[in-house]
Amino acid sequence: MKIKSVDYFSLIKVLFQGLGISLLFSLFIYTEYFDLTSKAINSLMALVAFYLLLTVSRRFLIITGAFVGLLWFYWIGYSFEYYHVGWMAPFITLFFILLYALFFGIAGITTNPFYRAGIFFVLSYVEPMDWNWLQMELPFVNSYMGIEKWQYALILFSLALFVYLSKIERYRLYRFGALLLLLGSLDYDTSRLSEPDLKIKLYAPMLLQEEKWVKGNRRQIIEENFRAINSAIQKRYDLIVLPESAFPLFLNKNPFLIMQLKKHSQRIDIITGALLVKDGLHYNVSYHFSKGEMTIAKKMVLVPFGEYVPLPKFLREWVNTTFFDGSSDFVTADAPTDFMVKGIKFRNAICYEATCDEIYQGDPDYLIAISNNGWFYPSIEPTLQRLLMQYYAKRYHTIIYHSANMGGTGIVRGDS
């Protein structure tokens, strides 16, 4: 029997073309990371990427998806080092490569540009394993195009019509007319959001994850937090926001710290992240101290595999015990929590929550987000997180005040 020889040239061609499309689809993340963002370039590259996704064969789609999984999420495995299972990091990366190879490959079941456009539109609603950080509209977030679902649908239809007309000789002359539909998907919103009449300090520490939870470092971390609070008081800030788990302990079990924070809150509102334990259950929470009073906001949306395991119960318990030392078992709140600061309402969000629709219920004007990005340092994670926040800020017309450890601190506006 004659064995077919491997066509290495074709294989290399598929790999490089798939890589090329994935680079076009991902370019906006890396230009933002290196502070080289251009709306014109982002618009053009994203449109070309989607055009190619509508035209290439299935094998190109699979390779494209694999590289997208790598380029967007290579950093996720970093956090497993802190669960003492760092050996899993390359397997986590491989999982996301395979996941998005399948995700994009689904569109290859048809070559019809309209059907394929429909598939990519439906995929914009799909969150595999409850993981929603690949939003199909996100490449347009810093472009001239809008990011609403109807605008995304119009972009796909315009490109699909262009592809369809290009294949028919008698209509080929009119194919560029299809691109005129893109004018309808431009972002024409010129309204400006009003910031609250408050002076807000966003504290941005740079504390490595491996140092954060060492008991010997706890005193120094606490002292630095209070130095930041006192500095904000001296500079007459109305509110200081400290990151997620800024106090790396179960704060409700430390009455002395609570007393000190309540005392300082007579002069400035304080919002900080820390842990809470109640009735044997663990919560990732925000604490708000104001005028000597303390309120607590529990996290509502947990990070898949980081704070809960999105698997059936019999598998969830085994995975949690085997790979996470039982620590991926946080409990959630049933609804979003709002804080009142000098009569102004702020929606609370802890890290992943700020990139989820659920936390924007009721279209809040202002949102305070706290994160600990030390889990994924160094990587593009803070950049991707900020772009996702900008995406949701645009959709819900919200201004986000984000305090993060190890990168990402700043104000994210939906009108920027």
Side-chain angles (χ1 to χ4, degrees):
M1 182 177 68
K2 186 177 180 181
I3 300 176
K4 290 184 178 180
S5 61
V6 178
D7 187 346
Y8 290 105
F9 178 78
S10 296
L11 178 61
I12 292 172
K13 180 181 177 182
V14 171
L15 288 173
F16 272 92
Q17 289 195 5
L19 174 60
I21 299 172
S22 67
L23 287 172
L24 293 174
F25 190 81
S26 311
L27 184 67
F28 73 104
I29 302 174
Y30 290 87
T31 54
E32 181 75 9
Y33 179 81
F34 290 107
D35 197 24
L36 296 172
T37 295
S38 164
K39 283 190 173 184
I41 292 175
N42 283 352
S43 302
L44 179 60
M45 296 300 100
L47 290 172
V48 172
F50 276 100
Y51 166 77
L52 293 172
L53 289 174
L54 295 179
T55 58
V56 297
S57 66
R58 184 175 187 176
R59 58 180 180 171
F60 288 114
L61 287 175
I62 292 172
I63 297 299
T64 296
F67 278 117
V68 167
L70 177 64
L71 290 169
W72 285 50
F73 303 123
Y74 69 87
W75 45 268
I76 289 181
Y78 289 10
S79 64
F80 284 71
E81 178 67 33
Y82 307 109
Y83 294 107
H84 311 294
V85 285
W87 58 268
M88 289 184 61
F91 296 99
I92 299 302
T93 302
L94 179 61
F95 171 78
F96 278 90
I97 288 173
L98 296 175
L99 176 65
Y100 286 102
L102 176 62
F103 187 84
F104 278 74
I106 290 172
I109 62 175
T110 178
T111 58
N112 183 296
F114 295 110
Y115 293 160
R116 188 174 286 189
I119 292 172
F120 277 117
F121 182 75
V122 171
L123 287 176
S124 71
Y125 290 94
V126 176
E127 299 177 2
M129 307 296 289
D130 285 348
W131 178 247
N132 73 337
W133 272 31
L134 198 149
Q135 296 289 342
M136 295 300 293
E137 309 96 300
L138 196 60
F140 296 108
V141 73
N142 273 329
S143 75
Y144 292 119
M145 322 304 290
I147 48 85
E148 298 292 342
K149 289 293 183 183
W150 68 267
Q151 291 169 314
Y152 175 57
L154 186 58
I155 289 169
L156 289 174
F157 178 76
S158 174
L159 295 174
L161 183 59
F162 177 82
V163 174
Y164 175 77
L165 295 176
S166 297
K167 293 179 178 180
I168 302 176
E169 183 66 35
R170 65 179 182 275
Y171 295 139
R172 192 171 297 169
L173 183 64
Y174 305 104
R175 66 188 185 276
F176 292 103
L179 299 181
L180 293 176
L181 293 174
L182 293 174
L183 296 175
S185 65
L186 294 176
D187 185 5
Y188 292 104
D189 187 359
T190 59
S191 61
R192 295 291 296 173
L193 302 176
S194 299
E195 293 192 27
D197 187 21
L198 292 175
K199 191 176 180 183
I200 301 173
K201 172 65 178 177
L202 301 174
Y203 181 45
M206 295 294 287
L207 185 62
L208 294 173
Q209 187 66 17
E210 56 264 32
E211 299 174 354
K212 189 176 184 67
W213 296 95
V214 176
K215 287 187 178 180
N217 295 336
R218 186 172 295 173
R219 181 175 179 178
Q220 181 182 349
I221 293 170
I222 292 171
E223 289 176 352
E224 289 176 354
N225 288 343
F226 277 101
R227 273 196 290 271
I229 293 170
N230 287 323
S231 175
I233 290 173
Q234 292 172 5
K235 295 176 181 177
R236 300 184 180 278
Y237 281 94
D238 298 300
L239 167 67
I240 181 171
V241 183
L242 289 79
E244 179 184 14
S245 63
F247 290 90
L249 42 77
F250 291 103
L251 186 56
N252 66 314
K253 293 296 184 181
N254 196 313
F256 177 76
L257 268 182
I258 290 176
M259 181 183 69
Q260 291 298 311
L261 288 164
K262 285 182 175 180
K263 179 180 177 181
H264 282 73
S265 75
Q266 296 289 354
R267 303 178 65 187
I268 187 173
D269 276 50
I270 303 165
I271 293 177
T272 182
L275 299 179
L276 177 145
V277 60
K278 184 178 181 181
D279 300 326
L281 300 177
H282 297 170
Y283 298 87
N284 188 4
V285 305
S286 298
Y287 290 82
H288 178 210
F289 296 89
S290 180
K291 303 301 181 186
E293 300 294 328
M294 179 182 78
T295 55
I296 296 172
K298 298 174 182 176
K299 194 170 185 180
M300 186 179 75
V301 186
L302 300 182
V303 182
F305 290 104
E307 293 172 324
Y308 87 104
V309 180
L311 294 173
K313 185 175 181 181
F314 73 96
L315 281 175
R316 182 170 66 245
E317 293 178 353
W318 177 79
V319 170
N320 188 27
T321 302
T322 303
F323 298 109
F324 297 102
D325 294 330
S327 59
S328 188
D329 61 351
F330 287 94
V331 183
T332 65
D334 296 323
T337 301
D338 295 326
F339 291 132
M340 296 297 294
V341 180
K342 296 186 181 299
I344 299 173
K345 184 186 295 186
F346 291 85
R347 175 65 48 83
N348 174 72
I350 303 174
C351 196
Y352 183 69
E353 287 186 313
T355 61
C356 297
D357 284 297
E358 296 93 324
I359 211 67
Y360 294 90
Q361 294 174 16
D363 296 343
D365 293 326
Y366 310 115
L367 184 143
I368 288 176
I370 59 174
S371 300
N372 175 25
N373 292 329
W375 292 99
F376 309 107
Y377 179 84
S379 73
I380 62 161
E381 185 270 343
T383 301
L384 181 55
Q385 180 192 46
R386 181 180 177 85
L387 289 167
L388 283 157
M389 286 185 183
Q390 187 175 345
Y391 168 80
Y392 284 98
K394 281 178 176 287
R395 286 186 60 189
Y396 293 97
H397 305 286
T398 300
I399 297 178
I400 302 173
Y401 295 86
H402 185 213
S403 173
N405 177 49
M406 296 304 289
T409 297
I411 300 174
V412 183
R413 299 180 60 95
D415 55 4
S416 57

